[in-house]
């Protein structure tokens, strides 16, 4: 019975990593839509979010079945509860990708990111995508070392966010209020994707070690 239970837990983590892969694709496609004013790609991200939502529901159902039928205790219970929280983080990351795509779609045929903010937003997108990719590896490998290293990427994201604000508030900003609002929102979306990635990584550390890591949590 316990062997079957742990096989089910392993399947949950496989599903979590697969969802993370889907989120990584959503972030990448949404960013391309944003920087190229591609309405078709934006629609692909928006419509594709339903698959991420369905995958989250499947993981939740599996976890609730484990809680109900297996009545896990101690470490096993910790893993199931962590998985439920992780899938919520992953779904939110997908939602944030949709928000990026919606801004891209709203401004088509224009590019939502003005030239003066393009370098910073592009880099924020790169960091966010890389963090999601790394998070999938962390989930699959239960890699505590890599989970801790994710904090370095998050520090870069925080620096980029500060730079993002400095650009909008600087005297050289000439793109108007509408563009400033878009850039403020985009910066927030990418920052939150990074925060959720750190949160997932923290929960992997907790699953493996039973200790809460000293990393920024979402």
């Amino acid at each position: 019975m316990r062997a079957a239970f742990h096989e089910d837990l392993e399947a949950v983590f496989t599903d979590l990593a697969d969802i993370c892969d889907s989120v990584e694709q959503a972030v990448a496609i949404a960013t391309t839509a944003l920087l190229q004013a591609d309405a078709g790609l934006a629609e692909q991200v928006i419509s594709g979010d339903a698959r991420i939502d369905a995958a989250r529901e499947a993981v939740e159902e599996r976890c609730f079945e484990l809680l109900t039928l297996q009545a896990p205790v101690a470490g096993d219970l910790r893993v199931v509860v962590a998985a439920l929280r992780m899938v919520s983080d992953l779904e939110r990351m997908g939602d944030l990708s949709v928000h990026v795509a919606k801004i891209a779609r709203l401004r088509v045929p224009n590019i939502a990111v003005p030239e003066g903010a393009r370098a910073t937003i592009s880099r924020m997108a790169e960091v966010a995508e890389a963090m999601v990719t790394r998070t999938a590896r962390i989930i699959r490998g239960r890699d505590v070392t890599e989970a801790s290293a994710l904090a370095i990427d998050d520090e870069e994201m925080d620096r980029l966010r500060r730079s993002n604000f400095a650009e909008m508030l600087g005297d050289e900003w000439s793109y108007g209020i509408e563009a400033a609002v878009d850039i403020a929102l985009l910066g927030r979306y990418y920052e939150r994707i990074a925060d959720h990635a750190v949160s997932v990584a923290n929960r992997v550390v907790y699953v493996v070690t039973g200790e809460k890591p000293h990393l920024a949590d979402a």
Side-chain angles (χ1 to χ4, degrees):
M1 180 67 73
R2 303 313 294 172
F5 174 78
H6 286 103
E7 287 178 5
D8 286 339
L9 276 184
E10 189 63 33
V12 166
F13 271 76
T14 297
D15 290 343
L16 289 170
D18 290 344
I19 294 172
C20 200
D21 289 339
S22 296
V23 169
E24 186 272 331
Q25 293 174 7
V27 173
I29 296 170
T31 299
T32 300
L34 178 71
L35 298 178
Q36 297 183 6
D38 191 318
L41 289 179
E43 290 290 352
Q44 182 178 332
V45 174
I46 294 165
S47 62
D49 190 54
R51 291 190 294 274
I52 293 176
D53 291 345
R56 181 217 70 207
E57 291 174 2
V59 167
E60 287 179 344
E61 288 177 5
R62 187 191 290 261
C63 287
F64 290 143
E65 286 177 359
L66 290 174
L67 289 171
T68 302
L69 301 177
Q70 301 289 347
V73 296
D76 290 341
L77 178 60
R78 182 177 71 233
V79 174
V80 176
V81 172
L84 284 168
R85 292 177 175 173
M86 289 162 66
V87 78
S88 178
D89 280 318
L90 293 171
E91 185 205 17
R92 185 58 187 147
M93 291 157 75
D95 291 342
L96 290 161
S97 300
V98 169
H99 294 336
V100 172
K102 285 183 176 179
I103 288 180
R105 183 181 64 179
L106 180 64
R107 301 306 174 200
V108 170
N110 297 317
I111 296 176
V113 182
E115 188 61 33
R118 192 175 181 91
T120 300
I121 292 296
S122 296
R123 182 55 188 162
M124 292 182 84
E126 289 174 1
V127 173
E129 184 180 346
M131 290 180 72
V132 179
T133 301
R134 175 176 277 187
T135 300
R137 293 200 302 268
I138 291 168
I139 294 170
R140 285 194 171 93
R142 315 290 200 280
D143 193 329
V144 172
T145 300
E146 188 159 15
S148 299
L150 199 68
I152 297 173
D153 295 333
D154 195 49
E155 289 173 0
E156 180 180 0
M157 182 64 81
D158 290 342
R159 290 194 298 270
L160 288 165
R161 181 67 167 144
R162 290 192 292 272
S163 177
N164 176 241
F165 273 114
E167 289 168 352
M168 289 185 297
L169 298 175
D171 293 336
E172 296 182 1
W173 184 264
S174 60
Y175 305 103
I177 295 175
E178 186 177 84
V181 171
D182 285 347
I183 295 305
L185 288 173
L186 289 166
R188 180 58 173 164
Y189 297 155
Y190 284 121
E191 180 188 40
R192 289 301 294 160
I193 289 170
D195 288 343
H196 284 292
V198 171
S199 178
V200 172
N202 286 352
R203 298 194 196 287
V204 171
V205 173
Y206 183 56
V207 164
V208 174
T209 67
E211 299 178 357
K212 294 182 179 180
H214 299 292
L215 302 177
D217 203 347

